[in-house]
Amino acid sequence: MNHLIIAPVVLPAMLAPFIIMVIRHHLDLQRVFSVAASVLLLGISFALMGQSLGGEIQTYELGDWPAPFGIVLVLDRLSALMVLLTSVLALPIVLYAIGSGWDKRGRHFHALFHFQLMGVIGAFLTGDAFNLFVFFEVLLIASYGLMTHAGGTRRLRAGVQYVVYNLLGSTLFLFALGTLYAVTGTLNMADLAARVAEMPPEDTALLRVGAVLLLLVFAVKAALLPLHFWLPLSYANAPLPIAALFAIMTKVGAYSILRMYTLVFGPEVAVTQGLVGEWLLPAAMLTLAAGAIGILGSRDIGRLVAFAAVSSMGTLLIAVGLFTPASTTAALYYMVHSTFATALMFLVADMVMERRGPEIKPRTPMPQSGLIASLFFVGAIALAGMPPLSGFMGKLLVLQASWPAPERAAIWAVVLIGSFVTIVGLARAGSLIFWKSHAIAAEPDPSPQDPPEIDTAPEPSPGLTFSAAFALLAGLIALTIFAGPATEFASATAEQLFNPDHYINAVLKGGEK
């Protein structure tokens, strides 16, 4: 077996308790180990991506128990892409947290950070539906600790709402898994796919119930309307570097929909045909619209970016909901783009909040205003899907993939109008934060009603925070420059997804292609 497959899960799983038990009182050592582990994780992820390029599907059987009896991890193009995306995102975030001093505002930041990575990466690699639930719970517990990091009444309230809502989703997940196990007798994804394909139509009522319950669970994780309302409050009140890491968490929901509804309940499975697309696509369009309207109405920069995350998930799920190889290609490309763009904007929002407060209204100019304004401008272009950055290419791919669909007129209208509303909302916010602030500074005698100035003490290492933000920007630029190879890889990944026999054979026959 290829032991490298389990390394991205084992590495953070071992480092996190080591930090808590051995070096919890030594912040400098925690930072060194955390950064070193993030760099090592990135290297492992690139190695796994290299192994997946040829199209071979590899498995890792825990305890050497063969599938479907034991837990299995599966490396294919999709899981390799998602693990690499998580690792690439993690390194700038941990550097930003160190540079801004967020990691010392509460306890156990670095341990929770790596537990979070363990849960996310495990969810991408697992080939067992129950093990997917386990990794969901790991990332839920870690994310709650990170959300309430540094304390505060508003943050605690938002964290409790986040946990309660996601625990309800977890309960629903257990009901779905119990239903599927009662019908099929297995929760291994490959074995589940094989048994579902063989079931007679008269015995599939409970199977359809389980499929719908699973979709609801994944819709909660992906913040799909009307199950999205937890995200704006939770992300806006979390420490914004943590919200930047959470940009990958909604992608776990989108990934799970792609995995389960191409492998187990795929378009070729007659008993569940049309079950997903009938309501996922309209819900995704409403999610995009709700996110765009939220951007336009936001008066707080944290909520502004949180609604932008909702809007980008709407665009992504439109592509997912079409369930064709072309739309899945567009979804994978846009998924990478939106992760980088959303994370970048959360970091920019944190820079703004640290210097002038969260409100979107004119205040006195802040330090490094020009540099932050440039980052905000580029991030706004990326999120809105305007040229020349990768968001434009991603939305173009989504629109192109939707052309054969009967709903193409509605999809084009929602995507284009949503992009226009998004750029208007972001332009309004940028002008109030950066341009009008300088206009107020030119006034010789400010009104006594002006809000009081806040403490704008610089971060411990502003150079490190800007380096982290520019690293994410570099990811967007690289995705734009190498759009051709990236799209080709996404197309090959989509083709692999829509040919589930290779996955099933690889898992049930011990890693053969």
Side-chain angles (χ1 to χ4, degrees):
M1 289 189 294
N2 180 10
H3 296 285
L4 196 64
I5 296 175
I6 199 173
V9 180
V10 171
L11 176 62
M14 294 179 65
L15 179 63
F18 172 78
I19 289 174
I20 293 175
M21 293 186 292
V22 180
I23 57 174
R24 63 180 179 274
H25 299 303
H26 304 279
L27 181 60
D28 289 340
L29 283 177
Q30 291 181 40
R31 289 173 168 178
V32 170
F33 275 93
S34 186
V35 173
S38 298
V39 172
L40 180 57
L41 181 64
L42 184 60
I44 293 170
S45 301
F46 271 112
L48 292 175
M49 171 60 78
Q51 293 181 10
S52 73
L53 291 177
E56 181 182 359
I57 298 175
Q58 301 181 56
T59 63
Y60 186 89
E61 296 169 346
L62 275 74
D64 207 21
W65 283 87
F69 308 105
I71 295 173
V72 62
L73 302 182
V74 184
L75 179 72
D76 63 353
R77 287 192 177 103
L78 179 59
S79 57
L81 172 64
M82 299 309 295
V83 170
L84 179 60
L85 179 59
T86 305
S87 304
V88 171
L89 180 66
L91 183 57
I93 300 303
V94 74
L95 291 176
Y96 185 93
I98 293 169
S100 62
W102 266 108
D103 63 335
K104 64 180 180 181
R105 300 187 191 184
R107 295 171 60 84
H108 308 308
F109 173 87
H110 292 283
L112 290 169
F113 181 86
H114 287 281
F115 273 130
Q116 177 82 13
L117 293 181
M118 172 195 168
V120 173
I121 291 174
F124 291 143
L125 284 173
T126 186
D128 184 272
F130 185 79
N131 207 33
L132 179 63
F133 165 78
V134 172
F135 282 119
F136 270 25
E137 295 311 295
V138 171
L139 67 89
L140 172 62
I141 294 168
S143 62
Y144 175 69
L146 290 171
M147 274 197 66
T148 57
H149 182 75
T153 304
R154 290 179 59 190
R155 191 167 292 141
L156 183 61
R157 187 184 303 117
V160 169
Q161 173 186 292
Y162 167 81
V163 167
V164 169
Y165 194 68
N166 278 274
L167 283 177
L168 291 175
S170 299
T171 304
L172 198 62
F173 202 171
L174 281 178
F175 287 153
L177 294 178
T179 302
L180 291 176
Y181 188 79
V183 175
T184 63
T186 185
L187 289 176
N188 178 279
M189 294 181 189
D191 196 33
L192 194 59
R195 298 194 187 194
V196 166
E198 296 171 355
M199 290 188 67
E202 60 271 14
D203 296 335
T204 58
L206 276 178
L207 184 68
R208 292 175 67 87
V209 171
V212 171
L213 289 176
L214 269 185
L215 186 59
L216 288 174
V217 172
F218 300 149
V220 170
K221 303 296 182 183
L224 183 71
L225 190 140
L227 306 172
H228 75 293
F229 60 83
W230 61 271
L231 190 149
L233 179 64
S234 299
Y235 281 28
N237 287 293
L240 292 186
I242 299 306
L245 176 65
F246 287 0
I248 195 67
M249 281 180 52
T250 48
K251 308 307 185 295
V252 176
Y255 163 86
S256 300
I257 293 174
L258 272 176
R259 177 68 76 193
M260 292 296 293
Y261 294 90
T262 56
L263 175 63
V264 180
F265 308 111
E268 74 286 348
V269 179
V271 296
T272 56
Q273 192 170 18
L275 188 65
V276 178
E278 290 179 357
W279 73 272
L280 180 60
L281 188 58
M285 288 190 283
L286 290 174
T287 302
L288 193 161
I293 294 170
I295 292 171
L296 199 60
S298 294
R299 298 293 182 268
D300 176 295
I301 191 167
R303 288 181 67 85
L304 177 87
V305 184
F307 274 112
V310 173
S311 179
S312 70
M313 283 306 300
T315 305
L316 171 60
L317 291 171
I318 285 174
V320 171
L322 290 168
F323 274 102
T324 64
S327 69
T328 302
T329 299
L332 294 175
Y333 183 89
Y334 189 81
M335 184 185 296
V336 177
H337 157 79
S338 64
T339 301
F340 287 148
T342 305
L344 171 62
M345 285 299 285
F346 272 121
L347 295 190
V348 174
D350 186 68
M351 293 178 183
V352 172
M353 286 183 64
E354 290 294 298
R355 291 164 173 80
R356 69 185 302 277
E359 294 179 333
I360 301 176
K361 63 181 181 181
R363 300 283 290 269
T364 54
M366 57 185 174
Q368 296 97 25
S369 176
L371 195 55
I372 298 173
S374 301
L375 286 169
F376 183 92
F377 174 73
V378 176
I381 288 176
L383 273 179
M386 305 297 290
L389 291 179
S390 52
F392 176 73
M393 176 63 72
K395 288 194 174 181
L396 196 62
L397 288 171
V398 173
L399 294 176
Q400 183 180 12
S402 69
W403 185 253
E407 305 87 353
R408 62 177 175 270
I411 293 173
W412 278 60
V414 170
V415 171
L416 294 177
I417 294 173
S419 298
F420 175 75
V421 173
T422 297
I423 199 64
V424 168
L426 292 172
R428 166 194 158 274
S431 65
L432 289 172
I433 293 170
F434 301 105
W435 181 60
K436 291 191 177 181
S437 295
H438 289 278
I440 282 182
E443 294 288 337
D445 186 19
S447 167
Q449 282 78 33
D450 286 344
E453 293 188 17
I454 61 169
D455 180 16
T456 55
E459 316 94 3
S461 179
L464 197 56
T465 61
F466 281 107
S467 298
F470 276 106
L472 293 174
L473 177 58
L476 288 172
I477 294 172
L479 189 61
T480 305
I481 294 173
F482 299 105
T487 305
E488 289 177 5
F489 179 81
S491 178
T493 304
E495 182 182 353
Q496 192 176 61
L497 278 173
F498 281 87
N499 288 279
D501 289 343
H502 293 324
Y503 185 102
I504 295 170
N505 291 334
V507 173
L508 298 183
K509 295 181 181 180
E512 298 172 10
K513 185 177 176 182

